[in-house]
Amino acid sequence: MDSVGPVVLQQGKGAAQEGLPCPPDSSKLVQECLQQFKVTEAQLRQIQASLLGSMEQELRGQASPDPAVRMLPTYVGSIPHGTEQGDFVVLELGATGASLCVLWVTLTGIEGRWIESRSKEFVIPQEVMLGPGQQLFDFAARCLSEFLDALSVGNQGLQLGFNFSFPCRQTGLDKSTLISWTKGFQCSGVEGQDVVQMLRDAITRQGAYSIDVVAVVNDTVGTMMGCELGVRPCEVGLVVDTGTNACYMEEARHVAELDEDRGRVCVSIEWGSFSDNEALGPVLTTFDHTLDQESLNPGAQRFEKMIGGLYLGELVRLVLVHLAQLGVLFGGCTPPALLRPEAFLLEHVAEMEHPLAGAARVHAILRDLGLSLGTSDAELVQHVCAAVCTRAAQLCAAALAAVLTRLQHSREQQTLQIAVATGGRVFEQHPRFLSVLQETMKLLVPECDVSFTPSVDGGGRGVAMVTAVAARLTAHRRLLEETLAPFRLTLKQLAVVQAQMREAMVKGLRGEASSLCMLPTYVRATPDGSERGDFLALDLGGTNFRVLLVRVATAGVQITSQIYSIPECVAQGSGQQLFDHIVDCIVDFQQKQGLSGQSLPLGFTFSFPCRQLGLDQGILLNWTKGFNASDCQGKDVVCMLREAIQRRQAVELNVVAIVNDTVGTMMSCGYEDPRCEVGLIVGTGTNACYMEELENVAGVAGDSGHMCINMEWGAFGDDGSLSMLSTCFDARVDQASINPGKQSFEKMISGMYLGEIVRHILLHLTSLGVLFRGQQTQRLQTRDIFKTKFLSEIESDSLALRQVRAILEDLGLPLTSDDALMVLEVCQAVSQRAAQLCGAGVAAVVEKIRENRGLEELTVSVGVDGTLYKLHPHFSSLVASTVQELAPHCAVTFLQSEDGSGKGAALVTAVACRLAQLAHV
């Protein structure tokens, strides 16, 4: 396998890396020494795979007690979108080694513009870094007060973001327990404690300012959040400073610890602790082992000690000492200064590798250590620096490649385009670290298109941004809840709807003024299983019209059908034009089925409000569902169909029954289950029917037996009884409809309107700045652009958030993950209200049947049809649970109808023929 060494990436496995040429007179000892720092492609890929495996194991919650990486959720669930604004205080501890920094950051809410008014760095004394924890936090509180005193900000309430750059386990955005100290800190009494609470206690003891610690953030998250907004989302943070770490936005459903199934969360990998012996062992040198043994934490943070800026200078020093002792460097001289740990710092290494001034800096730095250089010593020292730092960059690239591979797999993207925010003094000071990192990334993950963006201020702005994003999300959450509150109905409100519908049912049956027509259908019985014969059925209830041949036999029901479209010009033209088109479709169907000349009994499913005067007489009350054909309202539609048949001539059709689609649904399910006495449609429109006691039906002769009642419940509430539940969004949808003020219940429930309700809510939330960064889009202004089917797709449990985003992006909506989650909540609120109102209506119906029959308990089935009920992932269960709550004495089974409109119409016709034969006998 080709070597990926400190000087050049071997050709054939990747592009050449920058490096310093090895001196031609290098001894074999130098080559053998530096050979240890060469890393092969195979070794890098093994590290990449091992780290990825450790990440995924920890995400699943299956890691060992001493995990290789931590994968700690940070509870940062959103990246900035440029509208954040306000003044924020940032306290950075551990981000820059043995110092503490306080910043005052002003965010303007304008993309690319922010102001860091003031900042001040405080050196932390060694005795504080190694002393009691309370001493450290008291020191931090004093620094805060000193900084704020100089700003003269007064005692206003201040929001603070706490950048605490050590391995912690967060249990909330403002709750974080220190796992272990790194970077030379060893304060007692802090590990295992909530560092936010310790800071709050220290601020309280100081007593000078009212400060709310909103968020605790490590420097890596701060780096990611402080990335300038660009074309690509910045969802990875990479820090190589005194230590090293990375974070990225993971799908929340993959983080077992969170038990969340939606959205994303920033995960801090804490990869400095990665220590897989199988992967790292082959690339560990004798110098790595020596450095580890002499460190404050032997055996810990092995990966960090090969990459972090705190250790690179020390590795260089150890190599130089070794070579000097071999007599290869400095004439074999090892002065005390060279033997002193930390004689070489990161800045020394970076300066000595500078492509122009490097040689001069080597002489100056080594002269300060009391060393005199031989002819080739400066070049050899530069070569040592290159070996150590190139390996560090390559190892960092292998780890970052694991992160990008994880993102690529979890988001199911063949090509990942992403921005990585970089921070830390290694990136800032070292002349070649980033270029070596980039070249190695191209080798390891060529399918990932990665751009690297330097952190604006080393993470301070990012910490302020985390705090600001939290404030924005809180404000947006409040506005979202206020907007959706009217859609979240209580059981008490639903019981009121049930009672109002029950009252309207009674009035409608008596012939009194009511928003429920309670129309007799003259269907007096459900199927008993003895029906036989061939029947035609017509199904008109939407933009598609069906003609069916239904054969009812001992073996069951066989159906042959064909769909014909009804153009909008026909649906809204003249009545004669509409019915002529219907007859043309019937004739075409008869010819294709070889039925020409036959006169079969025909059932006509006509899914619009009608007042039936007999089984084959139906007076159209009003059009719905987008139909508006003229000269039809107030007329017998069966008669209009017969007239169209006569105009066509040579066509014989025996129209036996006009059937509402809801009745057809009940009859279709009744053929399978004799307990089915209720029909329910929830599709483009909505309606219900049920078997009522004939004695309760005014205007129909007879006191015994049953009569199916077409409730036409879509009009429920047209008398204003639902006004207490109607929202401003319902009002807008109603006003824009073709029948303002009518079909109130239907407009809250059915598929024709739910998408429009959602669209108006989205427009409102966008105007408030809650969605889409407050940017109105022309597509969202377009009526009916948000189809009800999108609710079903968006609310599907099987869809990942990425797929939800894809649905919305297809609509031209420039959304973030936050937007996708909020749109999901809007859809859930609208569809839940619809299902609950539907359930309240069904509860009213089954309770009416139970009381009619004087039963303590009723067992009844409801036949259901309609795309909304069948396709929406939660609608049916919400309807059932609502019925169970509101009608506890009714055991209700919901049966999904198979072709209720067609098969049901034929069965109504078949039952009518059976009853006619019995009457004739």
Side-chain angles (χ1 to χ4, degrees), residues 795-850:
E795 292 187 61
S796 172
D797 292 331
S798 63
L799 285 191
L801 193 61
R802 176 185 59 81
Q803 293 163 300
V804 175
R805 290 184 64 173
I807 292 169
L808 298 172
E809 285 168 351
D810 285 345
L811 294 175
L813 303 176
L815 78 166
T816 65
S817 294
D818 300 330
D819 293 333
L821 281 170
M822 290 192 191
V823 171
L824 169 64
E825 285 196 53
V826 170
C827 293
Q828 288 173 331
V830 171
S831 58
Q832 178 173 293
R833 183 189 69 162
Q836 289 177 322
L837 288 174
C838 184
V842 173
V845 171
V846 295
E847 275 292 300
K848 177 78 165 64
I849 296 174
R850 184 182 69 83

Side-chain angles (χ1 to χ4, degrees), residues 21 90 101 150 162 193 281 285 393 425 484 603 605 615 650 658 690 751 775 797 832 854 860 886-887:
V90 174
C101 189
F162 185 19
Q193 300 298 312
T285 68
R425 286 178 296 174
L484 298 182
T605 296
L615 190 60
I658 180 171
Y690 71 103
Q775 299 172 4
D797 292 331
Q832 178 173 293
V860 68
L886 295 176

